[in-house]
Amino acid sequence: MIGKVTIGKSFRGCLMYCLNDKRIQHPEEEIFKNRAEIISFNQCSGNTNQLVNQFNHVRELNPKLSKPVLHITLSLSPNEYLSKDKLMEIAEHCAKDFGFESNQYVAVLHKDKEHQHIHIVANRIGFDKKTVSDSNNYQKLANFCRKTELKYGLRQVLSPKKFLSKEQRNLPRQDERKKQLNITIRKTIHKSKSLDHFVAMMQAQGYKVIKGRGISFIDDKKVKIKGSEVDYSLQKIESHIQTLNRLSTDREFFKQVNERKPLIDSTETIINVPIKNENIFVTYKLIQDVSKTVDSLLKPEQTLEQINPSLLVKKKERKKKRWLHL
């Protein structure tokens, strides 16, 4: 079970989100009708507007509190299912753990996702004017989820590392969300022509991309994950895109070279060869120039196999002169 807890200012905004049909964000998106079902009321009743009025009426008992809304989401793992009675029990246990069992709250079952999940909207202000504390909310929710998993035989999930003991922190963690993000980034990098193209493709797949000194991704559950957490920092993504583009260019270059090579005669000038890629011309011209230079350097200074006859005649004449003097 995965939990999320937030505090806010507006009962109307929170209750409308939890009770109304999903808003259309894109023209092609289909509206999920009757996605919300109230499974539990506590110290309140009625439709959305009636609930908002009731919550705001009690809110006036402590007007100094700017954030009286407590919103908790509890999500089961895919392929897990509990009856409505069990979900009602979980909502009641959650209220007791957080200390709002005597306050106004409503539990809502959502049906618009593959996994089963409920929303609990509670008033932090009680009829006795006392306020439910919001300290250590994340740790409270993590502990509640672990207890609930054991009690109802649900898949056990590790809490965030900061809430674990030293021994538990060393245990391997299986985070499907991060694993999926890692796979998506890797596949998208191989299709990207630039960093901007990469960002656009990630957004098309449902991720909001935030770039700064690093890079972060926000999925459809509003969960933010840093690129470095899935082994893809901003620098690494840019480096991979540049490397893959360079390799792609090189492959195309050598492909063209291979296709045009039979047309080239090393004894002829390269200018007459119909190659569109100027880089190929430069490369073959360079090869020709280097080849000629090497040949000239290796060429011997003396290529005759015999001594020049004229030199031999001059040598004989010098010998005769020496004999005459003697």
Side-chain angles (χ1 to χ4, degrees):
M1 173 179 282
I2 296 176
K4 181 181 178 181
V5 57
T6 57
I7 58 172
K9 298 179 179 181
S10 174
F11 283 112
R12 179 172 294 279
C14 188
L15 287 168
M16 285 185 67
Y17 168 77
C18 292
L19 297 176
N20 293 355
D21 290 330
K22 190 174 183 180
R23 298 178 182 176
I24 300 179
Q25 296 180 350
H26 304 285
E28 66 278 6
E29 186 176 353
E30 182 181 353
I31 302 177
F32 195 101
K33 295 290 185 180
N34 303 318
R35 70 167 184 142
E37 179 184 355
I38 297 177
I39 58 174
S40 179
F41 285 107
N42 193 70
Q43 304 289 359
C44 57
S45 62
N47 57 31
T48 304
N49 288 329
Q50 291 170 334
L51 289 170
V52 171
N53 291 333
Q54 292 169 30
F55 276 68
N56 282 331
H57 182 70
V58 176
R59 175 183 191 169
E60 294 175 359
L61 297 176
N62 187 357
K64 292 183 179 180
L65 184 66
S66 61
K67 294 184 177 181
V69 183
L70 178 62
H71 181 197
I72 297 175
T73 306
L74 300 172
S75 301
L76 275 61
S77 298
N79 302 322
E80 288 186 334
Y81 179 84
L82 291 177
S83 66
K84 292 179 185 178
D85 291 339
K86 297 294 184 183
L87 294 174
M88 289 173 61
E89 288 181 8
I90 290 175
E92 292 173 2
H93 296 324
C94 183
K96 290 180 181 179
D97 272 34
F98 276 79
F100 59 83
E101 69 272 19
S102 299
N103 293 16
Q104 295 169 318
Y105 74 81
V106 57
V108 184
L109 171 63
H110 273 190
K111 308 173 185 177
D112 58 340
K113 301 293 182 182
E114 293 182 359
H115 63 278
Q116 200 176 36
H117 63 286
I118 62 173
H119 293 263
I120 304 172
V121 182
N123 196 336
R124 292 179 60 206
I125 302 172
F127 291 97
D128 56 0
K129 299 183 181 181
K130 292 183 179 179
T131 301
V132 174
S133 172
D134 62 346
S135 63
N136 300 318
N137 272 348
Y138 297 110
Q139 187 167 2
K140 287 178 184 177
L141 187 58
N143 293 336
F144 173 74
C145 288
R146 303 297 80 80
K147 290 190 300 182
T148 304
E149 289 165 356
L150 293 174
K151 184 172 183 177
Y152 292 92
L154 301 173
R155 178 184 174 187
Q156 296 185 35
V157 180
L158 283 177
S159 297
K161 282 190 174 182
K162 61 182 178 180
F163 302 143
L164 298 176
S165 63
K166 291 183 179 180
E167 294 77 13
Q168 289 176 318
R169 290 178 187 178
N170 296 324
L171 294 174
R173 302 178 66 87
Q174 297 295 331
D175 193 329
E176 294 297 328
R177 179 179 284 107
K178 290 182 180 180
K179 181 180 178 181
Q180 183 58 47
L181 176 59
N182 178 282
I183 294 172
T184 303
I185 291 175
R186 184 169 67 250
K187 290 182 178 179
T188 305
I189 285 175
H190 282 269
K191 299 177 184 177
S192 302
K193 298 179 181 178
S194 65
L195 182 61
D196 289 340
H197 188 209
F198 168 80
V199 171
M201 293 181 71
M202 289 297 294
Q203 290 175 341
Q205 297 176 80
Y207 288 95
K208 181 179 178 181
V209 182
I210 301 175
K211 288 191 303 176
R213 295 179 64 183
I215 190 167
S216 299
F217 304 87
I218 301 177
D219 62 14
D220 58 346
K221 304 295 184 187
K222 309 300 181 184
V223 177
K224 182 178 179 181
I225 302 174
K226 294 181 180 178
S228 56
E229 294 179 23
V230 292
D231 198 30
Y232 278 107
S233 64
L234 179 59
Q235 182 179 2
K236 187 172 182 179
I237 291 172
E238 289 180 315
S239 176
H240 278 14
I241 292 174
Q242 292 173 2
T243 301
L244 290 171
N245 286 338
R246 188 163 57 249
L247 288 174
S248 178
T249 303
D250 290 344
R251 288 193 194 100
E252 183 63 24
F253 168 74
F254 287 113
K255 180 182 178 182
Q256 292 187 39
V257 170
N258 189 52
E259 291 174 351
R260 300 293 183 176
K261 190 173 181 180
L263 300 176
I264 299 175
D265 186 347
S266 59
T267 61
E268 297 178 357
T269 178
I270 195 68
I271 299 175
N272 295 326
V273 179
I275 297 179
K276 296 181 181 179
N277 191 327
E278 294 181 359
N279 291 330
I280 297 176
F281 165 76
V282 173
T283 302
Y284 274 105
K285 190 69 171 64
L286 179 61
I287 292 173
Q288 281 192 331
D289 292 344
V290 172
S291 178
K292 289 178 181 179
T293 303
V294 172
D295 287 343
S296 64
L297 291 173
L298 293 178
K299 186 177 180 180
E301 294 183 3
Q302 179 65 27
T303 58
L304 296 176
E305 297 181 358
Q306 300 177 1
I307 300 176
N308 192 333
S310 62
L311 295 177
L312 294 176
V313 171
K314 290 181 180 180
K315 186 176 181 180
K316 287 181 180 181
E317 290 178 352
R318 285 198 299 272
K319 284 184 178 181
K320 285 181 180 181
K321 288 182 180 179
R322 282 201 298 271
W323 280 108
L324 289 174
H325 287 293
L326 290 173

